[in-house]
Amino acid sequence: MEITDKRAYFDDQAATITVYRHQRRYYWNSITRQCNYFIPAGSSVLEVGCGTGDLIAQVGGSRKVGIDFSEAMIAEARVRHASSGVQFEVMPAERITLDEKFDVIVLSNLVGYLDDVQAVFEQLRQVSHSRTKVIVTYYNHLWEPLIKLAEWTGLKRRGPQQNWMSGKDIRNLLYLAGFETFRMNRNLLVPINIPIVSWLCNKFLARLPLLNQLGLNQYLYARIEPEAKEYTVSVVIPARNESGNIEDAILRTPEMGRHTELIFVEGNSTDDTWEVIQRMQAKHGDWRDIKIARQDGRGKGDAVRKGYSIATGDILMILDADLTVPPEELPKFYAAIAEGKGEFINGCRLIYPMEKGAMRFLNTLGNKFFSVVFSWLLEQPIKDTLCGTKVIRRTDYLKLQANRSFFGDFDPFGDFDQILGAYKLNLKIIDLPIRYRERKYGDTNISRFRHGLLLLRMSAFAARKIKFY
């Protein structure tokens, strides 16, 4: 079909599409729910090819715009969602003329109808800023024979011939248009509501490895290929019974970006850590920007949150005061986030050989186990969830903090709080290998068995909130 025929087709369907979609709402609601999961509150959202506007009207966002080339579809959308606050405009995807940048752009089941998918993706750049996320949904090409059969039998409305596109094809076209796809997933094994069967298959079986590859709907999450910038940095150093490492942390932490501040947060020490922190601030405060505080609660997670609350840097880093992650490694983390390689940088201790005694055998096994669990949960490789060094932009952390109620304040370590929060914000998570050193002063504050059981409980909780929600 030529594009004029496609427009005529959709204009003709506008009057009956509401009833048609309502009859198949189980399928369409699945797409809306998945997209909405990754749209933070307060976001500005654009849907390209919005049809009658059901998706854009139902997802979150403080500013929402839907565009479509069909005048009849847009007219129907304006009537159906008159009170939703969504702005609907007649506009072809190939010529987007909006003078606005959006936080999230959604293309749901659109790419199959486009004559030039790459050209449409290139159009998205003019309505994107440096942190925009693009969500593309399209059916899994493995379902092509079943979709054709459904059209032939009348179970599905027959439409214009669509592009035959795999996830790799869409990823490649996004790349050619200047976007990087950082995650892809699939869901929905049973696209109609069969009591018990659909719930079991779609809520549980469709989330499992291998079976997930058979899901009908596939989702690609992309961002603009970033440019390097220079930032200010805050290094938060939680310290409990670490008096022998405080001065080394000051002397060995490099200056990064435009300016680097060090924030020591002392937490319920039984030695003289707090007194040493105060002395070192007085001794070195003339040449280093050093802030100090005592945490209000208990646990490393609470200390990190205290440090972040007084940080002023554009980029927030954690450096454990035991210095088992050498401070000299921090410029690698800075470069990774400043150059846009990732939006949440997670230290990884399990690549390079460790110093003897740096990590006990059972700890190593535990870390490898949680690596497998979280790689499955987050749909991208993450090798070391418990490395203390993690880096995030302050603007993203503030969003994570505002969204913390979704997962709850359940993590005394702070590692899962940040990793899961970064996933929910749809950030690109990157592992950065470091060399893990043996502790030179003091003893570890980690209990292998007690904390291991707690981590298992948190993993089960995370699975419920991410995979089986």
Side-chain angles (χ1 to χ4, degrees):
M1 283 189 176
E2 299 296 328
I3 191 162
T4 53
D5 295 323
K6 291 178 184 177
R7 182 180 287 110
Y9 169 83
F10 286 107
D11 282 343
D12 183 62
Q13 299 299 316
T16 59
I17 193 68
T18 298
V19 174
Y20 177 79
R21 287 187 61 148
H22 181 75
Q23 293 170 344
R24 293 155 180 80
R25 60 189 179 277
Y26 184 84
Y27 167 79
W28 294 106
N29 288 345
S30 170
I31 296 175
T32 301
R33 185 167 60 252
Q34 179 71 15
C35 292
N36 196 41
Y37 188 94
F38 293 106
I39 298 178
S43 300
S44 57
V45 186
L46 169 67
E47 185 184 4
V48 180
C50 67
T52 56
D54 292 340
L55 186 150
I56 188 67
Q58 293 179 51
V59 299
S62 58
R63 161 74 174 151
K64 299 189 288 185
V65 178
I67 65 172
D68 199 283
F69 74 158
S70 167
E71 293 186 15
M73 287 285 186
I74 291 296
E76 183 71 18
R78 288 170 177 165
V79 172
R80 280 180 52 76
H81 306 291
S83 61
S84 67
V86 181
Q87 175 185 338
F88 292 104
E89 299 291 344
V90 178
M91 192 177 299
E94 294 81 1
R95 293 189 302 279
I96 299 176
T97 57
L98 297 170
D99 187 20
E100 189 174 351
K101 310 288 186 182
F102 294 88
D103 300 322
V104 181
I105 301 174
V106 180
L107 293 83
S108 178
N109 287 3
L110 173 69
V111 294
Y113 297 111
L114 299 174
D115 285 349
D116 190 335
V117 179
Q118 181 181 338
V120 171
F121 286 162
E122 289 170 352
Q123 283 285 297
L124 302 184
R125 294 183 63 88
Q126 67 187 35
V127 286
S128 301
H129 53 69
S130 61
R131 306 300 310 284
T132 295
K133 297 298 190 302
V134 175
I135 302 175
V136 180
T137 84
Y138 193 53
Y139 69 84
N140 185 345
H141 69 91
L142 294 177
W143 280 68
E144 184 94 8
L146 289 177
I147 291 173
K148 294 295 186 185
L149 177 63
E151 290 183 341
W152 183 70
T153 59
L155 292 174
K156 180 184 180 299
R157 180 175 289 181
R158 188 181 299 273
Q161 184 177 2
Q162 295 200 48
N163 304 317
W164 193 94
M165 301 180 71
S166 68
K168 290 182 179 179
D169 294 327
I170 300 172
R171 184 195 297 262
N172 184 56
L173 287 165
L174 283 163
Y175 176 74
L176 291 171
F179 289 90
E180 174 196 25
T181 301
F182 59 91
R183 186 168 63 250
M184 184 172 70
N185 58 25
R186 298 180 180 89
N187 66 21
L188 211 64
L189 288 174
V190 181
I192 58 176
N193 188 16
I194 304 174
I196 302 178
V197 174
S198 298
W199 176 81
L200 177 64
C201 291
N202 296 325
K203 190 175 181 67
F204 298 101
L205 298 183
R207 310 287 182 168
L208 298 178
L210 299 181
L211 285 176
N212 177 259
Q213 300 302 307
L214 302 177
L216 169 59
N217 291 328
Q218 62 181 356
Y219 302 84
L220 292 91
Y221 307 90
R223 62 182 192 139
I224 287 181
E225 294 179 343
E227 298 179 358
K229 295 183 179 179
E230 195 171 17
Y231 299 92
T232 58
V233 180
S234 296
V235 181
V236 173
I237 308 173
R240 180 175 184 269
N241 297 332
E242 300 286 2
S243 62
N245 291 323
I246 303 304
E247 187 165 29
D248 270 356
I250 295 171
L251 296 176
R252 292 172 55 191
T253 300
E255 282 286 333
M256 293 167 282
R258 299 198 310 270
H259 177 70
T260 301
E261 66 178 4
L262 305 181
I263 303 174
F264 287 92
V265 182
E266 189 277 330
N268 308 294
S269 297
T270 56
D271 66 1
D272 61 343
T273 296
W274 178 240
E275 290 73 23
V276 171
I277 288 174
Q278 293 177 89
R279 287 204 308 271
M280 292 302 105
Q281 183 190 39
K283 179 178 178 180
H284 298 290
D286 58 337
W287 68 280
R288 295 230 66 163
D289 183 358
I290 302 173
K291 295 179 179 177
I292 65 175
R294 306 189 83 171
Q295 71 181 96
D296 305 308
R298 303 187 69 85
K300 178 187 170 183
D302 178 78
V304 170
R305 290 193 284 273
K306 177 75 171 185
Y308 281 2
S309 71
I310 60 178
T312 62
D314 303 317
I315 292 173
L316 305 178
M317 297 185 176
I318 305 170
L319 174 68
D320 284 347
D322 59 14
L323 304 186
T324 51
V325 174
E328 294 83 1
E329 301 267 20
L330 293 182
K332 295 180 182 178
F333 289 84
Y334 173 80
I337 200 165
E339 294 172 7
K341 306 298 184 186
E343 295 165 303
F344 181 82
I345 315 301
N346 180 65
C348 178
R349 302 163 295 176
L350 304 177
I351 300 292
Y352 300 126
M354 301 179 193
E355 288 187 348
K356 185 178 180 180
M359 186 182 294
R360 289 174 289 189
F361 177 70
L362 287 178
N363 294 57
T364 302
L365 288 181
N367 275 292
K368 291 182 181 295
F369 169 77
F370 287 113
S371 166
V372 173
V373 170
F374 270 77
S375 294
W376 168 65
L377 282 175
L378 306 183
E379 297 153 348
Q380 59 192 90
I382 181 163
K383 199 173 183 69
D384 185 4
T385 59
L386 298 177
C387 178
T389 302
K390 292 175 169 59
V391 178
I392 190 172
R393 287 184 178 89
R394 185 155 61 96
T395 53
D396 286 329
Y397 176 75
L398 293 175
K399 295 177 184 177
L400 184 154
Q401 184 181 48
N403 199 43
R404 185 168 281 141
S405 60
F406 181 83
F407 290 106
D409 189 3
F410 68 99
D411 178 11
F413 310 105
D415 298 291
F416 286 8
D417 175 65
Q418 291 205 31
I419 292 172
L420 297 177
Y423 172 82
K424 184 68 170 64
L425 290 176
N426 210 15
L427 303 183
K428 182 183 180 184
I429 301 173
I430 288 292
D431 272 347
L432 195 152
I434 50 90
R435 289 194 174 272
Y436 195 52
R437 306 298 186 186
E438 185 177 4
R439 171 188 280 273
K440 302 302 181 185
Y441 173 87
D443 297 315
T444 180
N445 295 312
I446 299 296
S447 168
R448 284 175 292 177
F449 298 104
R450 180 167 59 88
H451 288 150
L453 289 173
L454 179 58
L455 291 172
L456 282 173
R457 288 172 53 199
M458 290 193 292
S459 298
F461 176 81
R464 181 169 65 84
K465 298 292 282 188
I466 291 177
K467 286 295 187 182
F468 308 120
Y469 64 93

